[in-house]
Amino acid sequence: PDTAFFFLQINLRLILVSGKTKEFLFSPNDSAADIAKHVYDNWPMDWEEEQVSSPNILRLIYQGRFLHGNVTLGALKLPFGKTTVMHLVARETLPEPNSQGQRNREKTGESNCCVIL
């Protein structure tokens, strides 16, 4: 039974902003919050400089999106037996769904108003 359990695990390679990586095994039932807590509780020795004060500020990014705490790996349909890469960042709050577009528009100076000649 132990070998069957191994195949039902998901290998995550977590990448820090600094570029350091570490691989962890999780079950499909583990949520993003569970992963953050596990990584926090088992913080790798060579990540010492990036140590955070609380698991609650650890965020996972998968395919460019922040994962909310209750999303499970199973819900993401991640492949078993293969390595999935996610980014791990320390962030107090998650961005609002629409805030990104607003910020980009402000940067480029575009606006939604029209000029009537």
Side-chain angles (χ1 to χ4, degrees):
D2 287 344
T3 52
F5 180 69
F6 176 76
F7 289 113
L8 289 176
Q9 288 197 302
I10 293 166
N11 189 28
L12 285 189
R13 179 178 295 144
L14 300 179
I15 305 177
L16 296 179
V17 175
S18 64
K20 293 179 182 171
T21 66
K22 197 60 132 192
E23 295 192 7
F24 295 90
L25 282 174
F26 292 102
S27 100
N29 299 328
D30 286 329
S31 68
D34 295 333
I35 293 165
K37 177 148 181 37
H38 177 82
V39 172
Y40 179 82
D41 292 342
N42 300 276
W43 199 257
M45 293 289 285
D46 57 337
W47 286 11
E48 209 175 329
E49 292 162 25
E50 287 86 356
Q51 176 77 57
V52 294
S53 56
S54 157
N56 301 332
I57 63 168
L58 289 174
R59 307 281 180 221
L60 291 168
I61 303 175
Y62 176 58
Q63 294 183 338
R65 293 170 182 225
F66 281 95
L67 299 183
H68 286 271
N70 54 359
V71 173
T72 64
L73 296 179
L76 296 170
K77 309 234 181 321
L78 300 184
F80 297 119
K82 292 192 178 144
T83 301
T84 298
V85 176
M86 290 190 184
H87 290 264
L88 185 69
V89 298
R91 234 187 124 139
E92 293 285 344
T93 56
L94 288 177
E96 292 298 315
N98 295 328
S99 65
Q100 200 59 46
Q102 286 298 115
R103 210 172 299 124
N104 288 348
R105 266 204 297 280
E106 284 165 19
K107 267 194 208 133
T108 56
E110 291 170 19
S111 67
N112 294 334
C113 62
C114 310
V115 177
I116 300 171
L117 300 172

